[in-house]
């Protein structure tokens, strides 16, 4: 056995770098009992390296390629073409030629072979690279095979392979190619078998694509294929396609495309028995590899041959459960406006804070709601609550319930009806009876939270090592008390229920929809909307100083605050920004992940927003905006009460309505406060832990402070206690984080891995309407600004913000916009609450909005009806 050429049976599990992903998997497949793999061998990456190791031009061109970005397509094309030409003309080392000849003699010189590329960065769990390199079929004779080995090597530098590597940050010098030479089989049929359904991600549903002849026709998109679905040894679905063409091998070598007889075009490619036999083979291969597989197969004289198996890289991981029962999970990120992946330390802090039954998957959190779906009452409460926060989640859950076979339903349990079991189960009357309509309740709750945070800041300074961890755990109990304080929840629910009451009754009595939206404008005590207005005040301080405005336009470094004092008026401006940061600096995008960089840590994040405010507003805009909103609300209140008084029982209706409006005005601002308190505490914990991390860096336990973000709270405690860490854990978690970051989390996923997608059901909308959930009334037209990253926000007054989601850190942008469209969100999520308070028409939960709406398009947002028109 040489390291230049290896037969499939000789390949060891550890030889990825020698034979590439495809070669390694063929080696493994050929050792599974009962699985037929056409015999063959691999020219290893050592053979490739030996062929090019002395070619100076090749390495010089590689150096040029390393400097390029994805946008430099013309240069990439030119350099890649030159590299391919060098490789096509390269001399294959004589010992490689001899080893290839020996294997061909062993397997039969006269036979036809497939010559296939296998890159070292291919068919990996985190990057498939599928289809990046070339395959040649039905090649006969040693000289032709050697020529096609060179062609495979050259295909490492096709434009698409080079661009894919640049996008995925793979170093061109670190990716090598092995070439597989595998005996050809000439199948009646071939295709692909997915051991998990690639559409729904259901791990229990196998999906088989099958067509006549060689699989090349199917893979290249030349023909439609039959599609069979198999679940638990039963064929549950069949779709027979019209197969007009097939590719077959020619005796003299090469392939040809043939027309299929019209009477055979609609024939089923595989028999029922063959479908079930192939499904069993798929399950056996999946079990061997330990994860869902994408398998290429051929059928020859009633025998299935497997020519490739690779992991399916696009499936969302299933939340972990400790039993074999059916479970239903709902995404926390879609309710917290943070669908990005979280780092392990951020995940573990959120898990310590919440009492809900949480599960981790793909770097995100999911709530196991199975027990809530079991009985009718708890199910109704859950659907009602989630329907308000995200109707698409509710619709997906309805799909599961209506199937009737996934969750076993039980009759109502009397104990379950007790209000103490679920605050969400309380009626509005229950809350409003408990809560007096007294605004001092809110100011007292805020004062008590602030006092508690100040005490925490004092006390934590004296703690370090293990004592710090015990202290944080103890303080999290205090945080939970504040977050789940019945009075605090009562205030939030009373305002929410009063809004529902107003919307329902004003629609019934006066025929007006979503009136509560106008009544919620400029309410007191909303810490998040105040933050947006406070940044307008910062702009006012800077506006009279053109020299400082110019300086800020070129700021790159977070030490810019220290530089300000060199300018005239700089001290006052520095003070204004520092005052803003001391109150709001713990915020940032994705703030529920405590590892995310806060504004206090990276104040340059605020600079574009401040400059936008200077450009778009006149002085004293914050007071004017707030007062404008307040007047709109008061005027609306007066108008409603005047109209109601004209009814026969008008005085009674007006009295009840006035009480509800007061609840909205007094209490709805508080909804944003508990989270502000939580994020405040998280930042205090974070600063203390980063001090500990500095000690770990000095002791060479970790490389950089931020490495601690890849450990859970418990693991970090252990590392700080022992001063020991296997650094591979950090490296592995960083790779996982990169992988998870590419995944899109589902709103609802089952323990089978099935992703259930909800939809809005609406009638009478314009044909091209883009539908979402209306959360803030009004109709507005304007320029769409599609912004995925807050740092890239360049807004002008009157723009409509289109983004994936907003959390409190986006609020400073809300003062500049006239409307809001987000992909994620519900009636009570942050963006909706602030949009109502600022009087912005808003639609949330718009699937794929950032792709459907293009930056710069004129759009009309129907915030009352819940749809968007592109004008």
């Amino acid at each position: 056995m040489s390291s230049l050429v290896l037969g499939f049976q000789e390949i060891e599990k550890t030889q990825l770098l020698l034979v590439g992903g495809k070669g390694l998997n063929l080696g493994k497949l050929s050792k599974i009992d009962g699985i037929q793999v056409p015999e063959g061998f691999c020219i290893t990456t050592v053979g490739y390296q030996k062929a090019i190791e002395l070619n100076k031009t090749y390495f010089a061109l590689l150096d040029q390629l390393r400097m390029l970005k994805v946008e430099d397509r013309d240069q990439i094309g030119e350099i890649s073409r030159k590299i391919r030409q060098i490789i096509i003309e390269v001399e294959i080392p004589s010992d490689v030629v001899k080893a290839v000849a020996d294997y061909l003699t062993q397997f039969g010189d006269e036979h036809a072979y497939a010559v296939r590329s296998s890159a070292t960065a291919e068919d990996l769990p985190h990057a498939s690279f599928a289809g990046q390199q070339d395959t040649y079929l039905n090649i006969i004779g040693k000289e032709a095979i050697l020529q096609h080995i060179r062609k495979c090597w050259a295909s490492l530098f096709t434009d698409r392979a080079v661009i894919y590597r640049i996008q995925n940050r793979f170093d061109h010098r670190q990716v090598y190619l092995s070439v597989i030479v595998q005996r050809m089989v000439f199948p009646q049929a071939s295709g692909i078998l997915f051991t998990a359904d690639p559409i729904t991600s259901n791990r229990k549903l196998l999906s088989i694509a099958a067509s006549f002849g060689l699989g090349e026709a199917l893979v290249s998109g030349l023909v439609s294929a039959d599609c069979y679905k198999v679940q638990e040894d039963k064929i549950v679905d069949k779709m027979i396609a019209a197969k007009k063409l097939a590719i077959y091998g020619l005796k003299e070598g090469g392939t040809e495309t043939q027309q299929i007889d019209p009477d055979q075009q609609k024939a089923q490619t595989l028999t029922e028995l063959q479908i079930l036999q192939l499904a069993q083979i798929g399950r056996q291969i999946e079990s061997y590899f330990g994860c869902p597989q994408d398998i290429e197969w051929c059928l020859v004289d009633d025998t299935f041959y497997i020519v490739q198996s690779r992991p399916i890289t696009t499936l969302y991981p299933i939340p972990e459960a400790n039993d074999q029962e059916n479970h239903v999970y709902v995404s926390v990120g879609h309710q917290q406006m943070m669908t990005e992946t979280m780092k392990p330390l951020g995940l573990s802090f959120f898990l310590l804070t919440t009492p809900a039954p949480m599960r981790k998957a793909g770097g995100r959190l999911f709530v196991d709601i199975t027990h809530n779906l079991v009985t009718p009452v708890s199910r109704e409460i859950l659907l009602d609550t989630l329907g308000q926060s995200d109707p698409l989640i509710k619709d997906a859950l309805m799909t599961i319930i209506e199937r009737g076979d996934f969750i076993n339903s039980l009759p109502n349990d009397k104990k379950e009806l007790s209000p103490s079991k679920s605050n969400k189960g309380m009626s509005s009357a229950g809350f409003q009876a408990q809560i007096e309509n007294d605004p001092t309740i809110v100011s007292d709750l805020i004062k008590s939270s602030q006092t508690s945070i100040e005490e925490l800041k004092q006390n934590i300074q004296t703690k370090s090592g293990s004592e710090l961890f015990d202290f944080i755990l103890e303080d999290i109990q205090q945080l939970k008390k504040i977050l789940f304080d019945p009075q605090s929840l009562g205030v939030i629910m009373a305002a929410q229920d009063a809004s529902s009451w107003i919307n329902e009754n004003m629609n019934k009595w006066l025929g007006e929809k979503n009136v509560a939206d106008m009544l919620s404008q400029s309410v007191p005590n909303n810490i998040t909307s105040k933050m947006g207005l406070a940044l307008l005040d910062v702009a006012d301080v800077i506006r009279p100083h053109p020299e400082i405005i110019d300086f800020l336009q070129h700021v790159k470094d977070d030490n810019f605050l220290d530089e300000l004092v060199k300018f005239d008026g700089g001290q006052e401006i520095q003070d204004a920004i520092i005052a803003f940061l001391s109150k709001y600096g713990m915020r940032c995008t994705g703030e529920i992940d405590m590892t995310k960089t806060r504004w206090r840590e990276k104040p340059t994040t605020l600079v574009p927003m401040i400059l936008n405010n200077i450009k778009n507003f006149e002085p004293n805009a914050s007071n004017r905006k707030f007062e404008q909103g307040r007047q709109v609300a008061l005027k609306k209140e007066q108008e409603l009460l005047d109209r109601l008084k004209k009814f026969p029982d008008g005085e009674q209706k007006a009295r009840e309505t006035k009480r509800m409006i007061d609840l909205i005005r007094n209490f709805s601002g508080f909804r944003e406060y508990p989270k502000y308190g939580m994020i405040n505490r998280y930042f205090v914990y974070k600063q203390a832990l980063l001090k500990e991390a500095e000690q770990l860096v000095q002791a060479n336990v970790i490389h950089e402070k931020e490495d601690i973000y890849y450990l859970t709270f418990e693991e970090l405690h252990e590392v700080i206690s022992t001063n020991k860490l296997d650094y591979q854990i950090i490296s592995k978690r960083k790779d996982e984080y990169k992988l998870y970051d590419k995944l899109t989390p589902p709103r609802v996923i089952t323990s089978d891995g099935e992703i259930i997608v909800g939809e809005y059901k609406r009638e009478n909308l314009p044909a091209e309407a883009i539908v979402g959930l209306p959360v803030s009334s009004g109709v507005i037209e304007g320029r769409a600004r599609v912004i995925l990253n807050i740092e890239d926000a360049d807004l002008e007054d009157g723009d409509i913000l289109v983004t994936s989601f907003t959390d409190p850190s986006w609020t400073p942008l809300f003062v500049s916009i006239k409307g809001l469209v987000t992909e994620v969100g519900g009636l009570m999520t942050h963006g909706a609450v602030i949009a109502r308070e600022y009087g912005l028409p808003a639609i949330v939960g718009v699937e794929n909005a950032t792709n459907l709406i293009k930056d710069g398009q004129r759009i009309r947002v129907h915030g009352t009806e819940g749809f968007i028109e592109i004008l």
Side-chain angles (χ1 to χ4, degrees):
M1 179 173 100
S2 84
S3 66
L4 294 172
V5 181
L6 295 171
F8 290 166
Q9 296 287 334
E10 300 166 310
I11 294 169
E12 301 291 336
K13 284 181 178 178
T14 54
Q15 291 178 318
L16 172 71
L17 294 177
L18 274 183
V19 296
K22 198 176 287 175
L24 186 69
N25 287 353
L26 281 167
K28 290 175 178 176
L29 284 165
S30 64
K31 294 181 180 128
I32 306 176
D33 284 347
I35 300 295
Q36 303 296 321
V37 177
E39 58 196 1
F41 57 91
C42 291
I43 295 89
T44 70
T45 54
V46 177
Y48 167 69
Q49 286 167 277
K50 211 170 172 189
I52 48 107
E53 66 189 352
L54 299 175
N55 195 308
K56 286 179 182 164
T57 319
Y58 166 83
F59 286 105
L61 288 167
L62 267 195
D63 285 338
Q64 289 179 38
L65 207 52
R66 282 173 78 178
M67 309 306 289
L68 299 179
K69 296 188 171 67
V70 173
E71 301 80 68
D72 307 323
R73 291 187 181 245
D74 291 347
Q75 287 163 278
I76 289 170
E78 183 59 25
I79 296 170
S80 301
R81 188 185 57 73
K82 287 178 183 169
I83 295 175
R84 289 198 299 275
Q85 197 54 43
I86 288 170
I87 296 173
I88 289 283
E89 293 167 4
V90 83
E91 189 178 337
I92 299 179
S94 57
D95 38 5
V96 174
V97 174
K98 183 182 179 309
V100 168
D102 290 347
Y103 274 101
L104 289 174
T105 307
Q106 189 184 322
F107 292 146
D109 285 324
E110 73 286 3
H111 291 307
Y113 289 85
V115 182
R116 311 169 69 192
S117 306
S118 176
T120 51
E122 183 176 56
D123 296 347
L124 305 176
H126 58 284
S128 88
F129 282 78
Q132 297 293 335
Q133 278 78 44
D134 291 346
T135 286
Y136 302 94
L137 300 177
N138 205 19
I139 310 300
I140 299 171
K142 185 183 89 170
E143 286 313 314
I145 286 169
L146 290 171
Q147 186 52 29
H148 283 87
I149 287 169
R150 288 191 197 92
K151 283 187 175 181
C152 281
W153 283 345
S155 76
L156 196 53
F157 291 93
T158 60
D159 292 8
R160 70 169 185 257
V162 168
I163 287 167
Y164 189 81
R165 285 200 293 275
I166 294 171
Q167 282 171 330
N168 286 277
R169 299 197 178 136
F170 277 84
D171 184 344
H172 304 297
R173 281 173 176 260
Q174 300 300 316
V175 179
Y176 303 112
L177 199 85
S178 162
V179 179
I180 296 160
V181 178
Q182 187 173 22
R183 185 144 162 208
M184 274 293 288
V185 289
F186 296 97
Q188 301 95 285
S190 54
I192 298 168
L193 155 64
F194 293 99
T195 65
D197 184 43
I199 308 300
T200 65
S201 293
N202 190 336
R203 306 317 199 259
K204 290 188 177 171
L205 194 64
L206 277 109
S207 185
I208 297 169
S211 64
F212 298 120
L214 289 163
E216 211 52 22
L218 194 155
V219 173
S220 62
L222 202 59
V223 296
S224 299
D226 289 356
C227 184
Y228 318 123
K229 303 272 170 107
V230 180
Q231 190 161 5
E232 289 166 1
D233 303 327
K234 285 193 186 74
I235 300 167
V236 292
D237 192 31
K238 278 194 299 193
M239 194 192 75
I240 313 302
K243 299 164 286 291
K244 294 180 180 174
L245 301 170
I247 296 177
Y248 292 102
L250 296 168
K251 279 202 165 60
E252 64 276 17
T255 61
E256 73 165 0
T257 304
Q258 295 178 10
Q259 293 276 346
I260 293 177
D261 289 340
D263 57 344
Q264 204 201 343
Q265 285 179 9
K266 287 288 279 183
Q268 190 171 307
T269 311
L270 298 180
T271 66
E272 317 283 291
L273 203 62
Q274 287 168 337
I275 292 169
L276 292 173
Q277 187 190 346
L278 182 56
Q280 267 183 326
I281 292 169
R283 285 285 176 238
Q284 189 185 349
I285 292 171
E286 179 186 60
S287 166
Y288 177 84
F289 283 104
C291 66
Q293 296 288 300
D294 160 357
I295 298 164
E296 292 173 31
W297 57 269
C298 301
L299 178 66
V300 185
D301 302 329
D302 240 16
T303 299
F304 283 106
Y305 286 88
I306 303 301
V307 292
Q308 180 53 309
S309 188
R310 61 171 77 90
I312 306 176
T313 57
T314 54
L315 298 175
Y316 198 85
I318 304 174
E320 75 275 3
N322 39 19
D323 58 33
Q324 296 304 303
E325 301 298 313
N326 286 349
H327 291 268
V328 180
Y329 304 101
V330 165
S331 159
V332 172
H334 282 82
Q335 292 161 77
Q336 286 292 337
M337 299 303 96
M338 163 59 183
T339 54
E340 294 166 356
T341 185
M342 290 170 76
K343 296 193 178 87
L345 190 63
L347 282 169
S348 62
F349 263 93
F350 200 80
L351 285 167
L352 286 168
T353 311
T354 174
M358 295 276 177
R359 300 284 177 266
K360 290 184 283 192
R364 279 99 172 167
L365 288 170
F366 292 82
V367 186
D368 185 348
I369 56 154
T370 318
H371 66 288
N372 299 84
L373 293 176
V374 171
T375 63
V377 166
S378 60
R379 186 187 308 148
E380 197 180 325
I381 292 167
L382 179 83
L383 289 173
D384 189 45
T385 309
L386 288 177
Q388 288 212 5
S389 79
D390 190 328
L392 292 176
I393 291 178
K394 179 180 178 177
D395 190 66
L397 295 177
M398 289 302 298
T399 304
I400 295 171
I401 292 161
E402 282 160 12
R403 284 180 187 172
D405 58 354
F406 193 75
I407 298 293
N408 293 325
S409 196
L410 299 173
N412 273 334
D413 179 354
K414 294 280 191 296
K415 285 178 290 189
E416 184 191 29
L417 304 178
S418 134
S420 63
K421 295 275 179 209
S422 162
N423 282 317
K424 290 175 177 134
M426 279 196 178
S427 68
S428 46
F431 266 127
Q432 287 159 25
Q434 283 183 335
I435 297 287
E436 280 181 72
N437 199 344
D438 174 4
T440 60
I441 295 174
V442 170
S443 40
D444 289 348
L445 283 167
I446 290 173
K447 202 180 294 173
S448 146
S449 171
Q450 280 303 114
T451 307
S452 171
I453 289 165
E454 290 312 315
E455 283 172 10
L456 163 66
K457 285 177 182 171
Q458 289 301 312
N459 296 337
I460 203 165
Q461 287 175 14
T462 60
K463 308 289 184 273
S464 63
S466 269
E467 197 189 357
L468 171 66
F469 284 81
D470 296 338
F471 174 78
I472 289 174
L473 281 176
E474 212 174 296
D475 191 74
I476 286 174
Q477 295 313 309
Q478 178 64 18
L479 166 59
K480 282 161 88 165
K481 255 190 214 150
I482 294 168
L483 284 176
F484 305 109
D485 171 19
Q487 192 179 38
S488 172
L489 292 170
V491 163
I492 293 165
M493 286 303 293
Q496 206 169 311
D497 290 336
S499 292
S500 302
W501 187 96
I502 287 279
N503 283 339
E504 198 180 311
N505 287 297
M506 295 310 105
N507 195 10
K508 189 165 72 182
W509 297 336
L510 302 174
E512 276 200 52
K513 279 187 177 177
N514 303 350
V515 176
D517 294 358
M518 283 177 94
L519 299 168
S520 308
Q521 287 190 37
S522 298
V523 293
N525 293 316
N526 187 321
I527 189 74
T528 310
S529 61
K530 272 186 185 172
M531 175 174 77
L533 299 174
L535 208 58
L536 284 173
D537 293 337
V538 173
D540 283 353
V541 181
I542 301 170
R543 193 178 279 104
H545 301 277
E547 199 185 1
I548 291 180
I549 294 171
D550 182 60
F551 165 71
L552 289 175
Q553 274 161 345
H554 302 95
V555 154
K556 294 275 184 290
D557 187 348
D558 285 309
N559 295 330
F560 77 93
L561 284 171
D562 300 334
E563 302 284 309
L564 284 172
V565 290
K566 296 176 184 171
F567 296 93
D568 184 34
Q571 184 63 59
E572 186 194 359
I573 290 167
Q574 187 197 58
D575 292 346
I577 296 174
I578 287 172
F580 179 88
L581 288 172
S582 70
K583 187 157 188 185
Y584 302 109
M586 78 301 294
R587 308 217 91 153
C588 66
T589 53
E591 61 187 11
I592 64 164
D593 178 356
M594 69 119 63
T595 70
K596 293 266 189 189
T597 306
R598 311 280 136 179
W599 292 342
R600 280 261 295 273
E601 296 166 314
K602 190 172 187 266
T604 46
T605 314
L606 294 173
V607 171
M609 297 192 251
I610 294 170
L611 291 171
N612 259 330
N613 287 347
I614 294 169
K615 179 178 78 175
N616 293 330
F617 295 100
E618 295 295 316
N620 202 26
S622 71
N623 288 335
R624 274 201 312 280
K625 265 189 168 304
F626 187 81
E627 190 49 35
Q628 210 177 334
R630 204 173 73 85
Q631 290 304 328
V632 167
L634 292 175
K635 193 175 157 199
K636 190 70 193 170
E637 175 182 333
Q638 200 51 55
E639 180 212 316
L640 294 173
L641 297 178
D642 290 346
R643 285 170 67 192
L644 287 171
K645 281 174 187 167
K646 292 174 184 162
F647 282 81
D649 53 351
E651 289 298 332
Q652 173 64 28
K653 279 189 168 77
R655 250 197 320 277
E656 187 65 350
T657 301
K658 170 69 176 147
R659 194 167 78 80
M660 293 301 177
I661 292 173
D662 288 349
L663 280 168
I664 293 172
R665 300 290 305 164
N666 290 335
F667 289 166
S668 62
F670 179 70
R671 192 192 168 280
E672 291 286 306
Y673 203 86
K675 190 177 182 186
Y676 170 76
M678 175 174 110
I679 300 306
N680 245 308
R681 284 185 126 84
Y682 274 12
F683 188 49
V684 178
Y685 304 152
K686 180 186 187 179
Q687 287 171 302
L689 291 174
L690 285 172
K691 273 190 193 155
E692 299 293 317
E694 278 168 21
Q695 312 276 316
L696 293 175
V697 173
Q698 281 165 12
N700 289 323
V701 177
I702 55 176
H703 299 170
E704 53 191 13
K705 284 191 303 183
E706 289 75 15
D707 284 345
I708 66 167
Y709 298 162
Y710 296 92
L711 298 169
T712 66
F713 183 79
E714 295 76 12
E715 288 167 345
L716 180 55
H717 189 177
E718 178 69 16
V719 171
I720 280 169
S721 301
T722 60
N723 242 19
K724 286 196 186 77
L725 169 70
D726 173 4
Y727 199 77
Q728 274 187 306
I729 292 173
I730 304 285
S731 307
K732 179 174 170 276
R733 298 261 173 90
K734 284 181 177 179
D735 285 343
E736 280 174 355
Y737 182 79
K738 277 185 206 154
L739 164 63
Y740 295 153
D741 209 31
K742 292 177 187 168
L743 300 176
T744 302
R747 281 176 162 83
V748 176
I749 186 170
T750 72
S751 45
D752 289 349
E754 184 180 2
I755 290 169
I756 317 281
V757 179
E759 55 185 61
Y760 295 107
K761 295 171 176 63
R762 303 268 175 81
E763 288 93 44
N764 311 324
L765 292 181
E768 302 297 311
I770 299 169
V771 183
L773 175 71
V775 293
S776 185
S777 297
V779 178
I780 192 77
E781 278 182 26
R783 177 179 69 155
R785 290 313 315 265
V786 180
I787 296 169
L788 298 177
N789 191 328
I790 199 164
E791 276 102 40
D792 305 331
D794 180 17
L795 291 162
E796 286 177 15
D797 203 19
D799 283 347
I800 295 169
L801 174 62
V802 180
T803 188
S804 41
F805 58 83
T806 67
D807 60 11
S809 70
W810 288 71
T811 304
L813 299 183
F814 282 33
V815 296
S816 297
I817 59 175
K818 284 284 188 286
L820 173 70
V821 177
T822 68
E823 294 181 333
V824 176
L827 201 59
M828 295 313 293
T829 46
H830 153 79
V833 173
I834 303 300
R836 289 195 290 274
E837 192 171 320
Y838 282 179
L840 308 172
I843 301 176
V844 300
V846 183
E847 289 278 325
N848 217 12
T850 55
N851 290 323
L852 295 172
I853 300 168
K854 302 284 177 278
D855 187 52
Q857 280 181 326
R858 269 195 85 70
I859 61 172
R860 185 183 295 131
V861 175
H862 294 261
T864 313
E865 303 297 331
F867 68 94
I868 300 131
E869 291 175 283
I870 293 172
L871 303 176

